[in-house]
Amino acid sequence: MRTETVADQIVAQLIEAGVERIYGIVGDSLNPIVDAVRRSGGSKSGGIDWVHVRHEEAAAFAASAEAQLTGKLAVCAGSCGPGNLHLINGLYDANRSGAPVLAIASHIPSVQIGSSFFQETHPDRLFVECSVYTELISTPEQSPRVVHSALQHAVGKSGVAVITLPGDIADEPIGRPAPAYVRTAAPSLVPAAEDVEKLANAVNAAGTVAIFAGAGVRDARPELLDLAEKLGAPMGHSLRGKEFVQYDNPFDIGMTGLLGYGAAHAGIHDADLLLLIGTDFPYDQFLPDKVRTAQIDSAADKLGRRTSLDLAVHGDAKSTLAALLPLVERKSDRAFLERTLDRHEKLMTKVVGAYTKPVKQRTPIHPEYAASILDDLAADDTIFTADTGMCNVWTARYLNPNGSRRFISSALHGSMANALPHAIGAQVAFPTRQVVSMSGDGGLSMLLGELVTVAMYKLPVKIVVFNNSTLGMVKLEMLVDGIPDFGVDVPATDYAAVAAALGIFSRRIEQPGDLESGIRAALDHDGPALVDIVTDPNALSLPPSITGEQVKGFALAMSRMVMNGGVGEAVQMAKSNLRNVPLPSQFSPRG
């Protein structure tokens, strides 16, 4: 009769916690865990599946997406040394996104720790900054409680927990029984009544109020809309708040920041009082410094760390708004709301709309037009994943939420190459749901090997590649700083041919007239599909409120290009972008 090992016990603890799969790459120090997974029989038999990716970074990204979408614990693993080191970037993304993820970092033999052994690192030290819990398992007796604590930390604190497990310890007989895993429902964080009363007094005293909301309002949408209606408050949102705030919202005025659009910037700068609700929007240069500001957040450490506050309420959005609503008076004057909504409509029609309407026959294809076609054709419950950079811009501006669609990005960590591995995790967790990866060619090429994972498992992920052969967001950053773009070019690559070589259905689209049929064919295909769209490398995201300094930098960089002989590039960039630069009278004096 086989003796139950520490690895068997850990896998049993994961099964009890509801885990169905582990993303990772096998390796010698990890073999006891992998073998225990094999013997569990797979998820269809009540056990755990092993999802074999090509790079451990992708394993962590996939687990991050699964955890964010399901709200449940997801698991990834890496073998000793280089194997688990590769997890770190995806784990940063998971931890900053509030995703409950457990990472198993296997380790060299315990008797060799501290001797500069082959592949020796110290995972229990390395992962401290990107986790809410990390611990080394030194004995079989210690293991069950450490694993239990890791599970509780990951779920309870919505973050990453890391267990470091030497391979020899994993293969030893169990030392003691494991504690039972007990599930609890999500709690509410009710604010102090005196803080809510102070906020209500400030709201009632303000002539005009604007709201800027983030992902923290996900459970408070009805209360949020009730508050906006009562106050006549225009409402902007962050990228992570988009899917919870934008749709069916008569008060929506878009986003601010480099990814932004619409009247959000003007709305939050022109109000007497700004309410920041469930957001940790990091770009203080886009937040007003001369507007009275209040913040509501369930995390006390986020209060006032982005901009100076006049009032703060520590509580979750739903509980706080429920307590606040009976205390605030309805504002009868709707002039500020109507003026801001009118400005938003004009900006959406004349500026954001300008990207898509006149470019239907222009080549190279304008990425904005491609994104708008994708939005029209995608299913009502599509899960979109977007690479950091210009794909985030097109997602923010042209993909519309509806309450059923989901949007996953590396919005806080800002990593390249996240979209495809995020999509893998999403598709594995939701096998019958449409999953679309909006990949930039720079991001896709960084973890290109994960196309093999998609092909291997025949995951029906739809990969839409915005192939402009450049790092577009970096190019923009250089230009607004007055620096000619340099080192941002990506080799022109036929990603459709690469996908076809792997047996993935593919289309390469170079003409805008082929966009609808090509994207539709991919979305309708029963299996993995890739659409390689050759887009304009000079189409850049321009900030929603352009300052004189930004225009000066853009013009300076263009001048330097001309002087250095790049006349053609400068002319093409002007043709692609300057149609959307607001006239000088539209510059915001406050940036």
Side-chain angles (χ1 to χ4, degrees), residues 124-280:
D124 49 312
R125 304 176 197 171
L126 289 166
F127 293 103
V128 167
E129 192 174 304
C130 64
S131 65
V132 296
Y133 179 88
T134 178
E135 191 56 73
L136 169 67
I137 295 175
S138 301
T139 68
E141 290 78 15
Q142 178 198 13
S143 176
R145 287 192 174 180
V146 167
V147 173
H148 180 79
S149 187
L151 298 174
Q152 293 297 109
H153 275 78
V155 174
K157 292 193 172 184
S158 295
V160 169
V162 183
I163 57 170
T164 299
L165 179 66
D168 60 314
I169 301 295
D171 215 21
E172 289 189 17
I174 62 171
R176 64 188 301 171
Y181 182 80
V182 180
R183 294 176 176 82
T184 60
S188 299
L189 183 60
V190 179
E194 60 188 272
D195 289 340
V196 177
E197 188 174 346
K198 288 177 183 176
L199 180 58
N201 291 338
V203 168
N204 291 333
T208 58
V209 179
I211 295 171
F212 189 74
V217 303
R218 61 172 60 85
D219 298 320
R221 180 178 156 84
E223 293 83 358
L224 186 70
L225 294 179
D226 285 349
L227 181 67
E229 195 286 324
K230 204 167 186 180
L231 303 181
M235 187 188 307
H237 57 83
S238 66
L239 176 64
R240 295 182 75 218
K242 171 187 172 76
E243 62 182 304
F244 310 111
V245 175
Q246 181 185 323
Y247 71 96
D248 295 338
N249 183 351
F251 311 100
D252 178 60
I253 54 170
M255 289 174 56
T256 189
L258 282 174
L259 277 61
Y261 60 89
H265 185 89
I268 66 176
H269 279 76
D270 293 345
D272 295 327
L273 176 66
L274 170 62
L275 298 180
L276 301 173
I277 306 177
T279 180
D280 190 32

Side-chain angles (χ1 to χ4, degrees), residues 478-491:
M478 289 179 173
L479 291 171
V480 297
D481 284 338
I483 305 170
D485 63 283
F486 178 77
V488 296
D489 294 331
V490 177

Side-chain angles (χ1 to χ4, degrees), residues 342-549:
D342 183 60
R343 178 169 184 159
H344 181 65
E345 183 180 4
K346 289 178 179 177
L347 286 169
M348 293 298 290
T349 302
K350 296 180 180 179
V351 179
V352 175
Y355 282 104
T356 58
K357 292 180 181 177
V359 298
K360 295 183 179 180
Q361 302 306 319
R362 293 182 185 173
T363 55
I365 295 170
H366 282 255
E368 308 91 332
Y369 181 54
S372 70
I373 295 294
L374 176 60
D375 178 61
D376 290 340
L377 297 179
D380 287 343
D381 66 345
T382 296
I383 299 170
F384 293 97
T385 65
D387 265 336
T388 297
M390 301 309 292
C391 284
N392 266 342
V393 178
W394 314 141
T395 300
R397 295 183 181 177
Y398 299 102
L399 297 187
N400 289 296
N402 56 14
S404 297
R405 286 177 168 179
R406 295 298 312 272
F407 297 83
I408 298 292
S409 65
S410 185
L412 296 177
H413 187 48
S415 174
M416 283 183 65
N418 63 285
L420 180 54
H422 271 161
I424 289 171
Q427 193 73 83
V428 170
F430 296 94
T432 62
R433 196 162 167 180
Q434 186 178 88
V435 176
V436 174
S437 170
M438 289 183 64
S439 298
D441 54 326
L444 180 65
S445 62
M446 185 177 283
L447 285 175
L448 187 62
E450 296 314 317
L451 286 178
V452 177
T453 305
V454 170
M456 173 182 175
Y457 288 104
K458 297 182 172 56
L459 297 174
V461 174
K462 315 307 178 189
I463 304 154
V464 180
V465 187
F466 287 72
N467 190 352
N468 62 3
S469 297
T470 191
L471 301 178
M473 185 63 81
V474 181
K475 176 183 280 194
L476 175 62
E477 292 166 351
M478 289 179 173
L479 291 171
V480 297
D481 284 338
I483 305 170
D485 63 283
F486 178 77
V488 296
D489 294 331
V490 177
T493 303
D494 187 341
Y495 290 101
V498 174
L502 292 169
I504 295 174
F505 176 92
S506 65
R507 289 284 186 274
R508 184 169 170 89
I509 302 176
E510 299 180 359
Q511 298 297 323
D514 297 331
L515 272 172
E516 184 168 351
S517 60
I519 293 175
R520 189 185 298 278
L523 294 178
D524 289 345
H525 178 69
D526 184 16
L530 183 145
V531 183
D532 185 6
I533 305 174
V534 181
T535 60
D536 187 354
N538 294 315
L540 303 175
S541 159
L542 296 173
S545 182
I546 300 174
T547 66
E549 283 300 310

Side-chain angles (χ1 to χ4, degrees), residues 22-30 50-64 75-92 101 103-106 119 127 421 447 450 453:
I22 299 175
Y23 302 91
I25 299 177
V26 300
D28 55 357
S29 61
L30 196 56
W50 182 268
V51 180
H52 181 192
V53 297
R54 316 283 59 88
H55 194 292
E56 288 91 350
E57 180 179 351
F61 274 125
S64 175
V75 181
C76 57
S79 58
C80 65
N84 61 59
L85 279 179
H86 285 160
L87 293 170
I88 198 162
N89 191 54
L91 293 183
Y92 261 98
V101 169
I104 301 172
S106 69
Q119 294 188 324
F127 293 103
L447 285 175
E450 296 314 317
T453 305

